[in-house]
Amino acid sequence: MTRPMRTPFRTLLAVVLGILTLAAAPVLAQSGPPRIVIGPGVIEPMPIAVPTFVDEGGAGDYARQITRVVISDLEGTGFFRTIGEDAHISRITSFDGGIAFEDWKAINAQVLVTGAVSVAGDRITVKFRAYDVFNGQVLDGAALQFAGTTQGWRRMAHKVADVVYSKITGEGGYFDSRVVFVSESGPKNARAKRLAVMDYDGANVQYLTDSSAIVLAPRFSPTGDRILYTSYETGFPRITLMDVGSLRRQTLEEQPGTMTFAPRFSPDGQTVVFSLERGGNTDIYALSLGGGGLRQLTNSPSIETAPSFSPDGSQIVFESDRTGTPQIYIMPASGGEGTRISGGEGRYGTPVWSPRGDYIAFTKQNAGRFHIGVMRTDGSEERLLTASFLDEGPTWAPNGRVLMFTRETAGAGGQTSLWSVDITGRNLKQIPTEGPASDPAWSPLLP
Amino acid sequence: MSLAAKSLLLVAALALAACNNPDRYGAGGAGGAGGAGGMGGAGIDTTGLGDPNNPTSIAYFNQRVGDRVLFAVDQSTLSPEARQILTAQAQWLNQNPGYAAIIEGHADEQGTREYNLALGARRAAAVQNFLISQGVAASRMRTISYGKERPIEVCSEEACYAKNRRAVTVLSAGAGV
């Protein structure tokens, strides 16, 4: 077994300090601040300039690498186009030096991101400002400094990009986040699976288990410090809780003759909802991690599975085949019959409540194709975002505006891979992974 | 149920769990060769298959009696053919009390992971219930679902799907009863 590396969750202490900016009289902008509104319709990527961050001492390659990651994050959203450095008229050689905004206007950059990096020992400091090129003002709040260990340099780049993205779109960021997933190898009829975690963009992969037992569908806790998943380690499918820091794991429910799977945390991290199968019948249960015992939430001869809490913890969306085909229902967190919300043709599964509460993402199977889609919590405004031989298992980015999911190709050589798409159906792309990968689950935004 | 009976059940369950980890697909899947029962491999005690001409051998059960039944799309209902095979399985199990069985439920790849796990469990339970109805002691059997995790046929066509929607009775000697 490869010894998994410790994750940087707790080892990096990111210190966020606002940099003092010169008090300036407000300049009346002739047009509003640079703004992208994420919604339906075509969005022309906003041209921006991100010149290589200034090396303020000992930064070496870090300044170049951090700039590259900031650009990759922003361009990866599909909302930004960075203007190549060979087209720049001015150079940024000093973080606090004067800026010739006319030069950036001339190349049509709407936003200019400047930054500087310094390294002392294993400590790294990254600071940046994002300017509205038109009026030469720093975008409100987009002037920050991050400090931590050099090991966390990518996280600092992600934090820079998160602030820039957030200021321009008005949405929360999502780049400084991790994704837990199942790394796959081997042929289709004997596939080996192991848990792994990576940055949202596929970097920094670390393995959390070996492949001696089948593992399925991991989920992060609301604080990202624990993972729930289904493991065959005991011989039977069992929901398992892992501490990300120590990699210690424990099986949660071990009633003989039952099978447990599809676990997910409540928003306060204190309760686990999951499916328990007994005598062939699958219902939804809740287990209090504080020792409050097991509660049965559904009681029906049909299959009830894939439960997911609303962000306020008051409701649970789940999947049931009580009408003959799998459909999506919502019930109170205390349990009950539930109200069906899916209404279209086909089969609906794996509902996941958006962290913003506004949408439910799902897998839809219809006419021999699989889709990832979103609908309002009352089932209205259903929108299919993807279509392929097999797309399944969406997970929300922390800002509730992007989804990641599993795509599997057909046939004997079929392989899984991870993809992301935004909730308008734009920007469908594959996440780079070392090998086949499935069952992604996004962490919250890291602290 | 009396305390003694409960204890017996518990002992039987523990014996099954301890001696016979049912996940014969551990370590990346030892069961590639058609999923035939008792192939040895990681996580399971090795059991001799025996000679298929010996009517008390696992090989005989697998090949002559038939170790598996197939299901229609999304269904866990036993077809007349399935009932015929399971009736023969029950007769064999009743005549050979020295074996215990893990009943594996499987699904084809057309469905989500979670739903297929539940569907596989339904299929395994349908088989177990039928065997119980034919006199096989419940304490000799356990069920497990692999959902769509362990297909035996790998094409993405109905010909393969039909063979993957299955419940397999996997025997092991010594445990149970």
Side-chain angles (χ1 to χ4, degrees), chain A residues 184 187-193 211-217 219 230 232-238 255-259 261-262 264 277 279-282 301-303 305-306 319-321 324-326 347 349-350 363 365 368 370 389-390 392-393 406 408-414 416 438-439, chain B residues 9-10 13-14 16-17 20-34 42-43 73-76 102-103 105 108-126 128-129 142-157 161 164 166:
Chain A
E184 302 194 354
K188 198 168 174 177
N189 59 358
R191 201 150 273 171
K193 298 194 168 195
S211 57
S212 60
I214 298 172
V215 289
L216 305 172
R219 313 288 182 209
T230 302
Y232 282 67
E233 193 176 4
T234 64
F236 293 89
R238 293 273 180 247
Q255 297 181 41
T258 69
M259 167 176 107
F261 59 103
R264 217 182 265 279
E277 176 271 338
N281 182 38
T282 298
S302 47
I303 289 172
T305 188
E319 167 186 348
S320 167
D321 72 348
T325 60
R347 304 150 56 95
T350 72
T363 304
Q365 190 184 351
F370 278 76
F389 167 72
L390 210 178
E392 73 169 301
T406 305
E408 187 161 1
T409 51
T416 54
S438 60
D439 292 7
Chain B
L9 263 183
L10 184 62
L14 287 175
L16 271 171
N20 185 21
N21 182 324
D23 185 5
R24 62 202 172 92
Y25 301 110
V73 176
D74 271 357
Q75 295 303 308
S76 56
I102 298 287
I103 299 154
D108 66 33
E109 69 189 358
Q110 293 205 303
T112 60
R113 208 175 301 293
E114 290 84 351
Y115 187 78
N116 279 335
L117 273 178
L119 183 58
R122 238 185 210 170
R123 288 172 175 161
Q128 184 182 34
N129 290 337
R142 283 197 74 171
T143 59
I144 184 171
S145 175
Y146 286 96
K148 61 175 172 177
E149 301 305 313
R150 286 294 179 260
I152 50 167
E153 299 291 338
V154 293
C155 78
S156 295
E157 290 150 32
Y161 295 161
N164 290 334
R166 69 202 192 275

Side-chain angles (χ1 to χ4, degrees), chain A residues 219 264 306-309 311 317-319 327-330 341-342 347-364 371-386 391-397 400-405 421-423 442, chain B residues 112:
Chain A
R219 313 288 182 209
R264 217 182 265 279
S308 167
F309 274 97
V317 64
F318 64 99
E319 167 186 348
Q327 299 290 336
I328 297 173
Y329 296 76
I330 290 177
I341 63 164
S342 58
R347 304 150 56 95
Y348 293 79
T350 72
V352 196
W353 216 302
S354 155
R356 289 172 52 158
D358 51 357
Y359 287 103
I360 286 165
F362 55 84
T363 304
K364 178 169 177 167
H371 309 269
I372 301 299
V374 293
M375 59 172 71
R376 293 288 182 183
T377 57
D378 62 1
S380 65
E381 295 180 39
E382 175 177 320
R383 195 156 67 217
L384 299 183
L385 310 177
T386 73
D391 287 348
E392 73 169 301
T395 179
W396 289 96
R401 286 297 172 263
V402 181
L403 292 161
M404 198 180 291
F405 59 95
V421 66
D422 75 23
I423 59 165
W442 223 307
Chain B
T112 60

